[in-house]
């Protein structure tokens, strides 16, 4: 099969933000660009950490690459595991300005859109596979209210009537970053790359998700 005919998986990472010089979400996704999983070609794109522009670029990437699956990845400093996000909510509430200086507070992402969208990915099956591989992973019940949730919500809104599956994964600081944040947990970029490969493979192979407890009390 020629590479143009191959089905595409779109994988996105973000630019650095919040005084960091790197973003492990881009370091990990970039490393998978051009690789193949289950006969699908991975295309990696970097998104800006900007409300509005991030989503515009994501929609352009979807239009250009015509993926069957979209996985967006972002950094969540302070978390210890790969966080498989369950839900995106229709609100922007920024603790810090984005990379273009915008700091929306309590604004809707899509005017009069649904309050939330659930991921379309089989996060329980992905969780089980990651644990089997010894990679720290969890189901997360919130992707926050910053640019990552913005992109996740906008992704699910854009895909709402399409046969493309989409979802979001947050990852911890890299060890290099965590060194500047005393006490913060870290996960090597190599481990994240391995984890993303597993997550994508399971997402491509799993239709109906597994029934497996991974909830939280708070
Ligand atoms: N993390 C931020 C935005 C970009 C990123 O990598 C977030 O969690 O919203």
């Amino acid at each position: 099969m020629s590479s143009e005919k191959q089905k595409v998986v779109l994988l996105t990472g973000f630019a650095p933000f919040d005084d960091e010089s790197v973003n492990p979400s881009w370091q990990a996704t970039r490393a998978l660009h051009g690789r193949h999983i289950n006969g699908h070609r991975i295309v990696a794109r970097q998104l800006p950490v900007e409300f509005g522009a991030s989503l515009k670029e994501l929609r352009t990437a979807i239009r250009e690459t015509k993926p069957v699956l979209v996985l967006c990845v972002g950094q969540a400093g302070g978390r210890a595991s790969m966080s498989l996000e369950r839900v995106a909510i229709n609100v922007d509430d920024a603790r810090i300005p984005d990379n273009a200086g915008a700091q929306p507070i309590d604004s809707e992402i899509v005017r009069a859109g649904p309050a939330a969208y659930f991921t379309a990915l089989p996060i329980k099956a992905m969780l089980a596979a990651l644990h089997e591989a010894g990679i720290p992973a969890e189901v997360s019940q919130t992707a926050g209210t910053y640019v990552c949730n913005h992109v996740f919500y906008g992704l699910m809104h854009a895909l709402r009537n399409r046969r493309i599956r989409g979802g979001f994964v947050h990852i911890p600081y890299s060890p290099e970053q965590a060194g500047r944040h005393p006490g913060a947990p870290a996960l090597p970029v190599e481990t994240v790359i391995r984890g993303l490969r597993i997550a994508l493979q399971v997402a491509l192979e799993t239709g109906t998700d597994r029934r497996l407890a991974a909830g939280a009390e708070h």
Side-chain angles (χ1 to χ4, degrees):
M1 216 195 272
S2 75
S3 66
E4 292 92 286
K5 291 266 170 58
Q6 269 179 345
K7 289 183 178 166
V8 166
V9 169
L10 177 61
L11 193 57
T12 70
F14 282 99
F17 71 109
D18 198 14
D19 293 331
E20 299 290 335
S21 57
V22 293
N23 189 325
S25 70
W26 177 236
Q27 293 175 302
T29 52
R30 178 183 60 192
L32 289 167
H33 180 76
R35 304 276 201 86
H36 291 81
I37 284 192
N38 290 19
H40 294 66
R41 182 168 53 93
I42 299 175
V43 174
R45 292 276 174 97
Q46 191 192 78
L47 300 179
V49 182
E50 293 175 30
F51 292 98
S54 51
L55 260 183
K56 202 160 167 265
E57 294 200 15
L58 176 63
R59 285 192 296 259
T60 302
I62 292 171
R63 204 167 48 241
E64 287 175 358
T65 63
K66 299 183 177 53
V68 295
L69 177 76
V70 184
L71 182 64
C72 298
V73 185
Q75 160 203 317
R79 291 198 191 176
S81 306
M82 290 185 68
S83 295
L84 311 175
E85 297 294 349
R86 188 196 293 266
V87 58
I89 58 177
N90 190 15
V91 65
D92 289 332
D93 189 0
R95 179 183 60 81
I96 50 170
D98 71 10
N99 284 357
Q103 191 168 11
I105 294 175
D106 295 348
S107 13
E108 286 177 308
I109 300 167
V110 173
R111 195 163 347 122
Y117 285 107
F118 286 116
T119 184
L121 301 183
I123 51 175
K124 301 293 184 69
M126 289 157 69
L127 181 73
L130 288 167
H131 283 168
E132 268 160 41
I135 295 174
E138 65 188 356
V139 166
S140 160
Q141 324 300 337
T142 173
T145 56
Y146 195 51
V147 178
C148 286
N149 174 73
H150 180 86
V151 161
F152 183 20
Y153 184 92
L155 168 71
M156 301 317 298
H157 187 72
L159 301 184
R160 69 195 180 287
N161 293 321
R162 304 181 61 175
R163 290 163 56 93
I164 307 171
R165 293 173 100 189
F168 198 97
V169 173
H170 263 120
I171 60 167
Y173 282 136
S174 65
E176 168 197 357
Q177 291 179 299
R180 292 190 304 275
H181 299 274
L187 198 62
V189 172
E190 283 309 315
T191 308
V192 174
I193 293 170
R194 204 155 56 82
L196 289 176
R197 284 194 74 97
I198 292 167
L200 290 175
Q201 188 177 343
V202 172
L204 287 170
E205 288 171 355
T206 311
T208 307
D209 199 5
R210 286 177 63 170
R211 215 172 111 79
L212 187 78
E217 283 75 49
H218 51 80

